[in-house]
Amino acid sequence: MAVRVRPIAVTDARAARLLAAARTESDRLYPPQDNHGIDPGAPPAALRLFGAKGGLRLLGIAGLLPRDGYAEVKAMFVVDTARGRGVGAALLAEIERAAATSGLRVLRLETGAASVAACRVYARAGFAPCGPFGSYRAGGSSIFMERRPGR
């Protein structure tokens, strides 16, 4: 499947639907105190969103949130029918390029232990376990990962 990843507006209706689907999945998998997903009704102003298209269809989204000295991967979501087809890897590669262009070489993310397939995608992309960062705290179901240059 040929996948093209491009920036997409947070206000785009297709992106909003996928953000809502990501939030619904997170709500199903994690208790509120362990759910750190993007609120589709109020995404952070600095969030840069990327969409992965196969043909005319939006197959996945992922966000890049610049932080002090690193970039956080947020709102990574791939529709069920496109999982296991390289969409997540394509999104991560574009996020890494965009972060590097902004001078942010370290990527970090928080995901949950129940998101086993996502953890595999992150590990294959060179992400390794790390400690909590930003306002996150250890405990609950959170898994923290980062990718540094050269990994």
Side-chain angles (χ1 to χ4, degrees):
M1 169 189 336
V3 175
R4 292 174 291 113
V5 178
R6 301 283 186 268
I8 189 169
V10 176
T11 56
D12 184 295
R14 297 165 304 162
R17 281 193 295 278
L18 288 191
L19 283 174
R23 186 60 186 228
T24 298
E25 185 169 300
S26 290
D27 287 345
R28 181 179 58 78
L29 292 172
Y30 304 106
Q33 68 273 15
D34 288 355
N35 194 334
H36 305 289
I38 295 288
D39 176 353
L47 180 70
R48 294 175 57 195
L49 200 59
F50 296 86
K53 286 185 178 180
L56 298 175
R57 189 162 169 238
L58 189 62
L59 303 174
I61 56 168
L64 172 69
L65 192 55
R67 302 289 193 180
D68 188 24
Y70 65 94
E72 184 176 356
V73 177
K74 295 291 290 181
M76 179 87 155
F77 182 77
V78 175
V79 297
D80 287 342
T81 57
R83 291 182 182 174
R85 296 172 145 183
V87 175
L91 284 163
L92 286 173
E94 185 59 31
I95 282 177
E96 185 172 13
R97 277 191 288 280
T101 299
S102 298
L104 299 168
R105 308 285 297 166
V106 176
L107 294 177
R108 293 185 177 142
L109 62 87
E110 180 277 337
T111 191
S115 301
V116 176
C119 289
R120 281 195 302 265
V121 169
Y122 299 137
R124 279 195 299 265
F127 283 81
C130 68
F133 56 90
S135 62
Y136 295 111
R137 300 291 168 248
S141 62
S142 288
I143 294 174
F144 305 99
M145 302 178 88
E146 72 177 7
R147 186 178 185 319
R148 293 185 171 271
R151 279 195 185 161

